[in-house]
Amino acid sequence: MYAVPFDPQHLPRHVGIIMDGNGRWAKKNKLKIALGHRAGTEALRGIIRNSSDIGIQALSLYAFSTENWQRPKAEVDALMGLLLEFFQSEIDELNERNIRILILGEKDELPPEQRLALNRAEIRTFPNTGLRLNIAINYGGRAELTRAARRMAREAVDGLLLPEEINEAAVENHLYTAGMPDVDLLIRTSGEMRLSNFMLWQCAYAEFVFPQKLWPDFTLEDYHACIAQYQSRSRRWGGREAE
Ligand code: IPE
Ligand code: IPE
Ligand code: MG
């Protein structure tokens, strides 16, 4: 039994998390920024495991945005190092848990070692049928939509797609998340209330929850409280609530 009750029958199918607050956490604890990011990775482990245990279909995590390259080089290097470490240390367990990994974002612009590790993780877990774990790295929602437009234009030029065939389903099929349900629940920690270019298309009808906690302090109880809050919302999709 979990400390915070939620209804296991009505889980969000797809949860998105903007893991924010590592910098403030480091500052609060008088630690170097890299240690804040490391602590953030620790929080991540529990959330991934639990999502798989309770039966969430898809979990999308914002790890590094297209805008995060603007940060000081030392911080970017630390983040890239942690990324590699995370994949090296977790991949066996994630695979054993039948989790399928997908990277959202442009891998080609990452350093070669990281690119290789990410590609390997995707290929190795491809046959898995459990939790769809999407990790957004060098990801931006606008870049994703621009890429979809470019890919459709290419297909049109090649005679594979007619302009009249470009509808919402076609756009969806050209996103990284093709075939996955939209984000039902979007969580952003640290009290910030913005999307920062995360899954713009997929969050069109997401329910947003903004816990105050900084990401490294975010616990399973906090996660379940977010799920419970999601379950208390009335989703109308522009229609009328059923009587
Ligand atoms: C989120 O934590 C992690 C990344 C962006 C990689 P931040 O580093 O943005 O933490 P704050 O917002 O400075 O506290
Ligand atoms: C968004 O957080 C990106 C990630 C959590 C990876 P940021 O901290 O980069 O976003 P802003 O700058 O506060 O909008
Ligand atoms: Mg931040």
Side-chain angles (χ1 to χ4, degrees), residues 14-25:
H14 189 165
V15 178
I17 308 185
I18 303 178
M19 310 181 288
D20 198 14
N22 295 351
R24 277 161 283 169
W25 185 91

Side-chain angles (χ1 to χ4, degrees), residues 19-22 24 71 188 190 192 194:
M19 310 181 288
D20 198 14
N22 295 351
R24 277 161 283 169
R71 295 193 179 194
R188 180 171 188 151
S190 86
E192 305 295 353
R194 55 177 170 266

Side-chain angles (χ1 to χ4, degrees), residues 18-27 33 36-37 40 62-65 68 71 75 79 188-190 192 194 214-216:
I18 303 178
M19 310 181 288
D20 198 14
N22 295 351
R24 277 161 283 169
W25 185 91
K27 206 166 176 186
I33 187 98
H37 291 308
Y62 207 5
F64 192 89
S65 74
N68 287 146
R71 295 193 179 194
E75 183 179 353
L79 280 165
R188 180 171 188 151
T189 56
S190 86
E192 305 295 353
R194 55 177 170 266
L214 303 173
W215 175 251

Side-chain angles (χ1 to χ4, degrees), residues 7 25 42 76 99 101 142 156 166 171 201 219:
D7 177 357
W25 185 91
E42 295 303 321
V76 171
I99 292 173
I101 295 170
R142 287 183 172 184
I166 299 180
V171 175
W201 177 282
T219 63

Side-chain angles (χ1 to χ4, degrees), residues 144-145 147-149 151-153 155 160-179 201:
E144 180 183 32
L145 287 166
R147 172 179 171 271
R151 294 174 74 212
M152 287 189 291
E155 287 173 28
L160 301 167
L161 184 69
L162 294 170
E164 305 76 66
E165 288 169 343
I166 299 180
N167 51 23
E168 292 189 9
V171 175
E172 241 162 54
N173 283 332
H174 290 80
L175 300 176
Y176 294 113
T177 50
W201 177 282

